[in-house]
Amino acid sequence: MKMLDSFDSKGKAGLVLSVIGVLLLLAGTIGYTFSGVIEDVPTPNTPNQAFFADEPLPKNILSPLVAAEVTITWDRDDVWMGIVHEDEKERCKDVPSNYFSSGLGCDGASLDFVAGNPSATATEGFTWEMESGTYFAALGAKESGLPSGTAVVVSYDVHLGHSLLSVVLSFGGIVAGGVLIYYGRDPSL
């Protein structure tokens, strides 16, 4: 405790600030990953057509401080998956069905994907760096055919880590704490 006695309140505040900065830097560098499975996602029943989730994907409300990377895989190679922006889903509401011919605007080949695409394999899936905005999952049948079976099992892993702002804040806390420690020490020691 003698070391703490050699600091005034500025030095002790600096020590706390530096420790918090180091802990945040370590926590963000290590990160945190969580996983989940969504079962019984209905398979598309129409070839050459994209189907979209009714609800948007969860938003990363801490995106300035926490970067989120999502990896999605699924259990079937006869369907494709992807992620599209809300505007792309809205555009597809007005496009007629591609049942008889592909390439009219809202099949897997014509969508403007943010992540994923019709050529992605189920076992490899795709990775998406979450961005701010409203996004929807898209699903369709591969190769103009109907998939066998009625459900797809989707697995996801979300890795949370540093964003640029959190790194800057962590280093800022360490430097500011160091300055407070330096000017808050007892010069006679």
Side-chain angles (χ1 to χ4, degrees):
M1 283 309 200
K2 287 188 174 191
M3 183 180 117
L4 287 178
D5 292 337
S6 65
F7 295 115
D8 63 10
S9 61
K10 282 190 294 186
K12 291 176 183 173
L15 187 60
V16 168
L17 194 58
S18 292
V19 168
I20 290 172
V22 168
L23 290 175
L24 286 175
L25 190 62
L26 288 174
T29 302
I30 295 168
Y32 178 74
T33 300
F34 60 93
S35 302
V37 174
I38 303 170
E39 296 182 359
D40 299 326
V41 176
T43 58
N45 57 4
T46 306
N48 302 322
Q49 182 69 36
F51 294 89
F52 302 96
D54 294 331
E55 298 294 320
L57 297 171
K59 294 183 180 186
N60 180 4
I61 58 173
L62 298 175
S63 62
L65 296 174
V66 178
E69 180 181 89
V70 181
T71 302
I72 297 176
T73 57
W74 53 98
D75 68 339
R76 309 251 316 262
D77 275 326
D78 55 352
V79 297
W80 55 262
M81 294 192 75
I83 296 175
V84 298
H85 192 269
E86 176 182 35
D87 296 338
E88 186 70 359
K89 179 185 178 190
E90 291 299 316
R91 180 186 72 80
C92 286
K93 282 184 178 179
D94 299 329
V95 174
S97 172
N98 292 336
Y99 184 74
F100 294 106
S101 64
S102 61
L104 293 179
C106 282
D107 59 354
S110 307
L111 283 176
D112 183 18
F113 289 100
V114 175
N117 60 54
S119 62
T121 61
T123 53
E124 290 182 16
F126 61 87
T127 300
W128 174 45
E129 299 281 340
M130 285 184 76
E131 306 165 8
S132 60
T134 304
Y135 297 92
F136 289 85
L139 177 72
K142 278 192 176 183
E143 301 174 8
S144 302
L146 290 175
S148 59
T150 59
V152 179
V153 177
V154 179
S155 301
Y156 62 88
D157 294 320
V158 179
H159 180 75
L160 303 175
H162 270 305
S163 70
L164 179 60
L165 179 60
S166 66
V167 172
V168 169
L169 289 175
S170 296
F171 277 119
I174 293 168
V175 169
V179 169
L180 287 173
I181 289 170
Y182 180 78
Y183 288 107
R185 62 183 164 65
D186 184 359
S188 65
L189 296 176

